[in-house]
């Protein structure tokens, strides 16, 4: 699992957590189970600080065994299983991928594993031999990406170096996108679960659309896909939550004031990490619609409070959701129950009609491009 | 003048102020220092926009500054420029230890003028004045540019707090002064018509519900 695994002591170590044993790489620094430094004021950053009971532990073990069987050795049975029992896979992913298998499963469901196998040596070439116009911009942001995570804290340490490499490689691979602030959080999250090269190809899979619609429009000049998503989100919020929609209109709140970063970083920028991971599990399998669903679920969960607040308090509330709202086990089922697929499609067409040309490149063309890399 | 804490009765004036400038010049930390007296050596880069309000007391009047902190990277201008609309004040920030950020000030001024009123009260802020040994832009250069462009000028350090409050206060007091001059002039013209404030852009609110037309600021910014 490369450099990341060697240092990423907090994550994927379910057993150690249960035995209440935490390896601490730097003296006097306490980290949560994901590797984020625990601040005194922040009492339960990962929402799971309590020891689990033996029963819960046994259940988790059973879950991991089921997943291992489903994946097969090194992912060999995965495709077969998905074809045979797509509903089982979907249900299990929605419950959360076991942390120790997350890195592997993410690569399988995003299609990045295939890209990696099709393009041997490409990443190395990009990292070692190419130069990027964005190098200084990337360097400036490296220490500002997950600054509270132990893996990324050490100046020029392995975390910062691999983050730099992935971002630089991508900025060379796709010079139209280059480097945009926000990509660092996506790459950083991936690096906590896989090697540099794997993280790079997952980024490629997402932005170029290996499985779902390409998301490079989130970062291209003019941020066209951000604009489209915000338009879609605003309409969906109005339709699903008319009271909230009306209040937001009255207070002149629009989603660009609070939801841009939800889309640009897929909730990895400022949401509790354990929630972000659960969202990512579903996001990589089912695509961006989970971002809309979670956004709507957050508004829905808090709507009674939100509709009472004036502009400034409203903005504050939309950036600081209460802890109970961000519990994955209540928020996600609520998100799953909100249906958006059909309306998203219609709203996309509406947006394109309003703004001229489509915001995304056709999918087929991108795949072709990737195959050519080989 | 004194800074008030949050929550209290409704303010007399509400001014919208934007914080702009290249990425990593310290915009978010200036705001964090001003509004909460905090500083984060490795704060996350701002994605999109952030927002904060701060109340101040000027001549016995309560003034609230509604401050929009924007992402500095050029790519984000597509989503941040919308926030310039309706701004009556701007802090245009560069990093005294990085010349490039100073060279880009002209572009930021253009951006500001394209998307907002020409009369936005603007202060040029040379931040990170604590980095004495790394200085690449002299105080004299900063001052000269400010004079040429008709801007206020100040050097600040969000890290050691120096001049941070002054930077924001300079802008807010100036807006207040322009507004008071205008109010006095207009009152002389329209003494019998207290409803004159009824129309126009919602830029400056008076007593929380009456609006002052955007034209009220026409008095220049320097």
């Amino acid at each position: 699992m490369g450099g990341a695994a060697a240092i990423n002591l907090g994550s994927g170590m379910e057993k150690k957590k249960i035995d209440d044993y935490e390896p601490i790489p730097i003296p006097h620094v306490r980290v949560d189970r994901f590797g984020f430094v625990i601040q005194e004021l922040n009492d339960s950053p990962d929402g799971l600080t309590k020891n689990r009971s033996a029963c819960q532990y046994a259940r988790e073990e059973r879950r991991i065994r089921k997943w291992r069987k489903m994946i097969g050795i090194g992912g060999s049975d995965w495709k077969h299983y998905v074809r045979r029992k797509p509903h089982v896979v979907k249900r299990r992913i929605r419950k959360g991928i076991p942390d120790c298998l997350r890195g592997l499963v993410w690569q399988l469901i995003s299609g990045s594993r295939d890209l990696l196998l099709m393009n041997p040596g490409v990443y190395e070439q990009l990292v070692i031999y190419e130069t990027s116009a964005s190098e200084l911009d990337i360097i400036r942001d490296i220490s500002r990406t997950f600054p509270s995570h132990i893996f990324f804290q050490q100046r020029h340490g392995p975390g910062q170096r691999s983050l730099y490499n992935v971002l630089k490689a991508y900025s060379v691979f796709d010079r139209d996108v280059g480097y945009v602030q926000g990509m660092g959080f996506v790459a950083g999250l991936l690096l906590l679960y896989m090697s540099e090269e794997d993280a790079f190809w997952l980024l490629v899979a997402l932005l170029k659309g290996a499985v779902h619609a390409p998301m490079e429009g989130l970062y291209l000049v003019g941020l066209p896909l951000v604009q489209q998503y915000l338009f879609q989100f605003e309409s969906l919020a109005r339709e699903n939550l008319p009271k909230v929609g009306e209040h937001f209109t009255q207070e002149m709140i629009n989603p660009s004031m609070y939801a841009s970063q939800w889309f640009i970083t897929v909730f990895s920028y400022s949401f509790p990490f354990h929630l972000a991971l659960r969202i990512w599990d579903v996001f990589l399998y089912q695509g961006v619609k989970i971002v809309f669903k979670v956004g709507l679920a957050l508004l829905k969960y808090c709507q009674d409070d939100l509709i009472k607040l004036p502009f400034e308090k409203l903005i504050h509330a939309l950036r600081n959701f209460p802890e109970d709202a961000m519990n994955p086990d209540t928020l996600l089922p609520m998100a799953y129950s909100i249906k958006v697929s059909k309306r998203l499609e219609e709203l996309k067409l509406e947006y394109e009609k309003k703004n001229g040309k489509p915001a995304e490149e056709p999918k087929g063309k991108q795949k072709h491009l990737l195959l050519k890399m080989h | 003048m004194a800074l008030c804490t949050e929550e209290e009765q409704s303010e007399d004036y509400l001014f919208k102020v934007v914080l702009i400038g290249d990425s990593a010049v310290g915009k978010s930390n200036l705001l964090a220092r001003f509004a909460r007296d905090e500083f984060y050596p490795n704060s996350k880069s701002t994605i999109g926009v952030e927002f904060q309000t701060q109340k101040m007391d000027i001549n016995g009047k309560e003034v609230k500054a509604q401050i929009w902190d924007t992402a500095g990277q050029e790519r984000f201008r597509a989503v941040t420029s919308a926030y310039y609309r309706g701004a009556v004040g701007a802090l245009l920030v560069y990093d005294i230890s990085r010349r490039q950020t100073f060279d880009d000030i002209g572009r930021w001024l253009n951006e500001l003028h394209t998307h907002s009123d020409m009369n936005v009260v603007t202060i040029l802020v040379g931040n990170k004045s604590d980095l004495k040994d790394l200085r690449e832009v002299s105080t004299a250069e900063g001052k000269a540019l400010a004079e040429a462009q008709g801007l206020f000028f100040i050097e600040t350090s969000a890290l050691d707090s120096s001049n941070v409050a002054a930077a924001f206060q300079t802008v807010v007091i100036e807006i207040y002064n322009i507004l008071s001059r205008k109010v006095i002039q207009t009152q002389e013209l329209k003494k019998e018509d207290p409803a004159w404030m009824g129309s126009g852009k919602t830029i400056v609110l008076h007593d929380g519900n009456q609006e002052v037309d955007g034209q009220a600021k026409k008095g220049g910014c320097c």
Side-chain angles (χ1 to χ4, degrees), chain A residues 179 181 219 256 269 312 319, chain B residues 23 44 49 64 75 83:
Chain A
Y179 166 71
Q181 289 178 330
Y219 306 119
S256 77
Y269 180 72
E312 281 157 23
R319 290 173 170 283
Chain B
S23 178
K44 289 182 191 172
V49 290
K64 189 194 263 180
R75 202 71 60 92
Y83 293 91

Side-chain angles (χ1 to χ4, degrees), chain B residues 31 49 56 80 118 158 174 213 222:
Chain B
L31 184 54
V49 290
M56 293 182 237
T80 53
M118 284 299 279
E174 179 64 10
D213 192 279
C222 25

